Amino acid sequence: MNVLALDTSMGVCSAAVLRTTESSRTLFVREEAMPRGHAEALMPMVEEALNEAGLAPRDLGTVAATQGPGSFTGVRIAIAAARGLALVTGAPLYGTDSLTVMARAALRAGLDPAGAFAISVDARRDMLYLGLYDSDGARLEGPLLCAPADAVRHLPEGLGVAAGNGASLLAEAAAAHGRALEPALTDLQPGAVALAELASESADRLEILRPLYLRPPDAKPQRAALERRR
């Protein structure tokens, strides 16, 4: 099964094609760190990855996208692209949350936890996105949106490491509660490679991809604009 995976949920724009034959599995990746501009960059990346893989869109067996949490705009970009490609090709859809993708990415990057580990992402406004995973990257709890002190209360006994750009914040909160927690991979991002692997290993497919938002958007209509619409 050939998988196209798309991720624009946080600070990286990436597209990955996992081409599978009877004897091999090969990844073709385009990825770039960027705070904005995902919408313009994503589809050229898709085209380049497909061309390098020697595949046409009709050859895809699954189209996958991360569903959030993350940037409101970024999450929607990958989901919209995945929906469109699935509509054109007839390929089924796969999606999972960005923290689960990060957990797989952490293990790919060499994280070797003795047991459960946490993914902690700075959600701003003194909040964290939190996910808990076993040593194989299977989700135990989350994703959650919580203050660092509340996040500590969710940590199972014996959990000793957290990855992600919120890991240091979680470690500080854990220390204040008398717990030792090691921050690791503090520049970790979700990405299409980890997502492609997860999609290829799962039998779950979705009829429609929907964004996963854990907080309301920062942008709100101005009162005057609302009044004009009444």
Side-chain angles (χ1 to χ4, degrees), residues 119-123 128-129 148 162-172 183 186:
I119 297 294
S120 177
V121 175
D122 186 354
L128 296 174
Y129 294 129
N165 69 359
S168 296
L169 294 172
L170 183 59
E172 291 173 8
T186 54

Side-chain angles (χ1 to χ4, degrees), residues 27 44 50 53 71 77 96 110 118 120 123 139 149 163 205 226:
L27 277 161
L50 284 171
S71 157
I77 289 167
T96 191
S120 177
R139 185 172 57 226
R205 294 297 180 266
L226 287 173

Side-chain angles (χ1 to χ4, degrees), residues 24-136:
S24 67
R25 285 161 52 93
T26 309
L27 277 161
F28 303 87
V29 186
R30 293 294 184 274
E31 182 172 282
E32 183 178 347
M34 56 177 66
R36 58 186 63 84
H38 299 74
E40 295 78 14
L42 181 60
M43 292 312 294
M45 288 183 176
V46 169
E47 184 177 6
E48 290 175 8
L50 284 171
N51 287 341
E52 186 180 359
L55 297 175
R58 64 177 178 274
D59 299 319
L60 296 173
T62 297
V63 179
T66 43
Q67 295 175 270
S71 157
F72 279 82
T73 301
V75 167
R76 291 195 298 269
I77 289 167
I79 286 179
R83 285 177 177 176
L85 287 164
L87 183 64
V88 169
T89 64
L93 289 162
Y94 172 85
T96 191
D97 67 273
S98 52
L99 302 189
T100 295
V101 175
M102 292 176 71
R104 171 58 67 93
L107 296 177
R108 293 187 89 259
L111 187 71
D112 187 19
F117 67 99
I119 297 294
S120 177
V121 175
D122 186 354
R124 301 182 180 179
R125 300 180 184 175
D126 299 318
M127 302 291 280
L128 296 174
Y129 294 129
L130 178 71
L132 304 178
Y133 300 87
D134 70 15
S135 58
D136 295 321

